[in-house]
Amino acid sequence: MLLNRVWVLCLLFLGWYPGEAYAGEELKWEVSGGYRVARLPVPKSGKTGFTRQPGEATGIRFTNSLSETRKMANANLLNGSGVGLGDYDGDGLCDIYLCDLGGKNVLYRNLGNWKFQAVTAQAGVACPNQTSTGAVFADLNGDGSLDFLVTSMGAPIPVF
């Protein structure tokens, strides 16, 4: 089940989502052991699969930038940058944090129905001018809410 959710989130990140499966249907969430799951409905007719959603429709407009000069100076940067998925605002929806090796990370708040809003400045998680390589949401202090870390090359790891 977790693997399926990771695939859906990765495909969403790439601009694809299972449009036919979710069109107009509410998911029925089941809460269990500190997490929640929902069975994905499969359409009885029509085309199954994913439908490309442009950034204009979802609100996600992001490009990981890496100059040719920096690529040539440090081949480790070719490993790419990170994505953090978690509910940063406690509304029950999975938000997306995208790392940019060029120092322009973006946090997208999930508004529901595959719509997102950039809230990086309001959340104070920009991490400007750092080579961000990874991000993770986790409850570090056991208080029941997610904390947020952004890893980088050559900089401290901030905890939000």
Side-chain angles (χ1 to χ4, degrees):
M1 182 65 83
L2 177 59
L3 184 58
N4 289 340
R5 284 191 286 168
V6 170
W7 267 108
V8 168
L9 291 170
C10 289
L11 289 167
L12 169 65
F13 172 70
L14 295 172
W16 295 81
Y17 88 108
E20 294 293 326
Y22 295 117
E25 294 186 41
E26 277 295 314
L27 295 177
K28 293 180 179 107
W29 292 99
E30 300 170 24
V31 178
S32 177
Y35 63 92
R36 66 184 192 140
V37 298
R39 296 198 183 279
L40 302 179
V42 177
K44 306 233 184 293
S45 64
K47 183 179 175 188
T48 60
F50 293 87
T51 304
R52 183 163 175 72
Q53 295 295 301
E56 295 76 32
T58 63
I60 296 177
R61 295 176 189 93
F62 179 82
T63 301
N64 181 22
S65 57
L66 182 61
S67 71
E68 192 67 33
T69 304
R70 291 193 69 209
K71 285 181 206 176
M72 299 305 286
N74 187 343
N76 288 326
L77 295 174
L78 296 175
N79 290 330
S81 58
V83 176
L85 304 169
D87 183 7
Y88 101 95
D89 57 359
D91 66 358
L93 299 172
C94 186
D95 305 303
I96 303 173
Y97 187 86
L98 301 171
C99 296
D100 180 4
L101 295 171
K104 299 174 188 158
N105 301 344
V106 182
L107 173 63
Y108 288 101
R109 180 174 177 254
N110 189 337
L111 303 174
N113 201 28
W114 300 100
K115 305 289 183 213
F116 294 83
Q117 173 187 26
V119 294
T120 315
Q122 300 93 309
V125 294
C127 299
N129 304 315
Q130 86 174 25
T131 304
S132 298
T133 56
V136 64
F137 286 90
D139 183 4
L140 297 178
N141 56 5
D143 67 355
S145 16
L146 292 177
D147 302 300
F148 181 60
L149 296 88
V150 180
T151 62
S152 68
M153 295 180 105
I157 299 173
V159 177
F160 300 99

